[in-house]
Amino acid sequence: MQNFTFHNPTRIIFGEGQIAALDTQVPREARVLITCGGGSIKSNGVLAQVQAALGERASFVFEGIEPNPTYETLMQAVAVARERNIDFLLAVGGGSVIDGTKFIAAALKFNGEPWDILAKQTPVRDAVPFGSVLTLPATGSEMNNGSVISHRANGDKLFFTSDATYPLFSVLDPTTTYSLPARQIANGVVDAFVHTVEQYLTYPVDAKVQDRFAEGLLLTLTEVGPQALAEPKNYAVRANLMWTATLALNGLIGAGVPQDWATHMLGHEITALHGLDHAQTLAIVLPAMLTVRKEQKRAKLLQYAERVWNITEGSEDERIDAGIAATRAFFERMTVATRLRDYKVSGESVATLIAKLEEHGMTALGERGDVTLEVSRRVYELAV
Ligand code: NZQ
Ligand code: ZN
């Protein structure tokens, strides 16, 4: 096992009816900016619950943080927050709203041009305190310090992390997910699955409990993912999915083990260029990535095939290929297509995707830094 430091300061408040707990979590004198997306929290009643819990506190709503949140929109929120003397942010929505709120929180305390936080990786030392009410199990943003922001004008999608951008608390009420469209449930399952894979399917370091936790998350997703599509109002299923997605990216399974993230970086470029959903890009890239890097990942691919997919027959290569095929079949079963052409993207895009990776310095990705632009090109080409 590798050395590590693990510290996660986010308080999780889990279960039906827990939005009411905002009253105990948000400072009584706070001036709160509620940040949200395109309106789902109005139609499903979540905003009304949040406002009821905040009671007499001064609160304002900033609406319109889009999926794959943009710098352009978030800077409008920064202006509103300054105008209203906001000192607490409350993100109510999915990963995009929470990621966007992390950026707003950091930008409000930042000296200089906030885009430098992404483009130049200028460290964020301080941020306005914020909490979240999660409505879409997928990204883990509710219990991590990462944020992925897009610059619409430049066609960039970049990430930052900072110790200052962990949510103080996140409320996870599984009933808020009942209104999710099937496409977003499917996306969430695929995203959480790939987060787990990025921290598990690398090379062995004899980290037994991290491996078994990761396998537990993957097995749970293969079980509850299809159920979540079939039975949208099954509380137990939604509760298990929600907690699994959080645990997939809150630092726990990634402590003391090598991490990959090449699939995510290649996926971000596809979203930036073609606008595909984040999870769609992962479903496209991961099977191709595992195929191209089969040798480097051989030991873990064999373990994955056996422990997650119960594949024990055949030669090593046959078992590895069967494990990758099972992964693709699972994404397809979740109704997320796994090839670029399924989304009307042709091989002609590969050159631009590679140029963008290069521009963003993504030239030595993966757990060993050996995913060069040439390897990435092979992955994109295989994914067409
Ligand atoms: O905008 P509204 O109206 O709220 O609708 C949203 C949006 O259209 C809708 N939705 C959310 N909760 C709902 C709901 N509709 C009905 N009922 C509900 N309860 O779902 C749509 C998608 O929302 P979004 O927040 O974009 O989805 P997701 O949670 O998958 O977040 C994706 C973003 O997170 C980033 C991705 O890159 C992408 O930008 N990621 C963040 C990570 C992190 N912070 O650690 C890691 C991930 O790898 C990922 O990169
Ligand atoms: Zn992701």
Side-chain angles (χ1 to χ4, degrees):
M1 198 184 303
Q2 299 175 343
N3 291 0
F4 65 88
T5 300
F6 177 65
H7 175 74
N8 190 315
T10 302
R11 180 189 303 268
I12 296 295
I13 304 161
F14 190 97
E16 183 166 13
Q18 293 280 33
I19 291 174
L22 288 174
D23 190 33
T24 61
Q25 300 302 314
V26 178
R28 202 143 290 280
E29 302 306 318
R31 292 179 61 81
V32 184
L33 186 64
I34 299 169
T35 50
C36 64
S40 71
I41 66 164
K42 285 187 179 164
S43 44
N44 63 12
V46 171
L47 179 60
Q49 289 183 62
V50 167
Q51 287 174 323
L54 290 178
E56 298 300 304
R57 291 173 183 81
S59 76
F60 308 88
V61 179
F62 181 85
E63 216 181 317
I65 299 180
E66 60 279 81
N68 308 306
T70 65
Y71 164 77
E72 287 88 342
T73 301
L74 300 171
M75 289 308 289
Q76 293 173 22
V78 169
V80 170
R82 290 217 166 100
E83 221 169 87
R84 304 262 185 213
N85 280 323
I86 294 299
D87 55 18
F88 198 94
L89 300 170
L90 184 60
V92 186
S96 293
V97 171
I98 303 176
D99 278 14
T101 303
K102 290 174 180 175
F103 179 77
I104 298 165
L108 280 167
K109 297 267 184 169
F110 192 76
N111 286 324
E113 166 51 63
W115 182 246
D116 289 350
I117 297 170
L118 287 303
K120 298 188 182 159
Q121 294 286 301
T122 309
V124 170
R125 311 240 180 253
D126 197 9
V128 170
F130 69 98
S132 89
V133 176
L134 179 69
T135 65
L136 198 176
T139 62
S141 187
E142 65 279 8
M143 199 180 178
N144 70 38
N145 63 352
S147 166
V148 191
I149 306 298
S150 297
H151 195 297
R152 203 186 292 133
N154 300 352
D156 293 330
K157 184 172 184 185
L158 301 172
F159 74 93
F160 78 96
T161 62
S162 161
D163 281 349
T165 52
Y166 282 96
L168 283 184
F169 63 81
S170 287
V171 176
L172 276 57
D173 177 343
T175 65
T176 65
T177 74
Y178 288 170
S179 56
L180 277 165
R183 167 169 158 187
Q184 298 303 340
I185 280 290
N187 279 347
V189 170
V190 170
D191 195 20
F193 193 94
V194 180
H195 292 159
T196 310
V197 165
E198 299 263 34
Q199 300 163 90
Y200 162 74
L201 233 170
T202 56
Y203 55 87
V205 292
D206 201 17
K208 293 184 194 306
V209 78
Q210 291 92 326
D211 276 8
R212 290 200 161 95
F213 276 178
E215 287 152 2
L217 298 177
L218 296 172
L219 286 164
T220 305
L221 290 167
T222 62
E223 184 180 333
V224 300
Q227 289 173 336
L229 286 181
E231 304 166 44
K233 300 229 161 133
N234 184 324
Y235 180 82
V237 167
R238 291 297 164 105
N240 279 293
L241 175 56
M242 207 168 203
W243 188 223
T244 303
T246 301
L247 289 169
L249 196 49
N250 74 345
L252 185 65
I253 64 166
V257 298
Q259 302 193 15
D260 184 341
W261 300 109
T263 294
H264 267 71
M265 296 308 120
L266 269 64
H268 288 169
E269 301 301 350
I270 300 175
T271 296
L273 192 63
H274 295 289
L276 271 63
D277 294 349
H278 172 62
Q280 292 172 336
T281 71
L282 304 177
I284 293 165
V285 175
L286 184 70
M289 182 71 76
L290 296 179
T291 305
V292 167
R293 293 165 67 201
K294 209 187 285 187
E295 287 317 314
Q296 292 78 10
K297 291 179 178 288
R298 175 166 286 269
K300 276 309 210 36
L301 276 166
L302 285 165
Q303 180 178 324
Y304 168 71
E306 179 175 345
R307 294 199 194 167
V308 177
W309 298 111
N310 209 11
I311 296 164
T312 53
E313 307 280 314
S315 68
E316 280 194 10
D317 282 315
E318 284 166 351
R319 280 179 275 150
I320 287 172
D321 290 345
I324 297 171
T327 311
R328 184 189 296 282
F330 175 59
F331 295 161
E332 301 270 356
R333 183 172 175 211
M334 289 305 301
T335 68
V336 185
T338 59
R339 299 196 196 267
L340 279 169
R341 59 177 178 268
D342 299 327
Y343 302 90
K344 314 239 175 315
V345 176
S346 75
E348 281 169 26
S349 292
V350 173
T352 316
L353 291 166
I354 293 293
K356 275 292 186 184
L357 277 179
E358 185 168 22
E359 181 188 325
H360 296 143
M362 304 287 175
T363 55
L365 298 170
E367 62 271 20
R368 292 191 194 273
D370 58 358
V371 181
T372 59
L373 291 178
E374 193 39 46
V375 176
S376 294
R377 183 193 310 280
R378 292 215 302 279
V379 172
Y380 281 136
E381 279 167 357
L382 194 62
V384 173

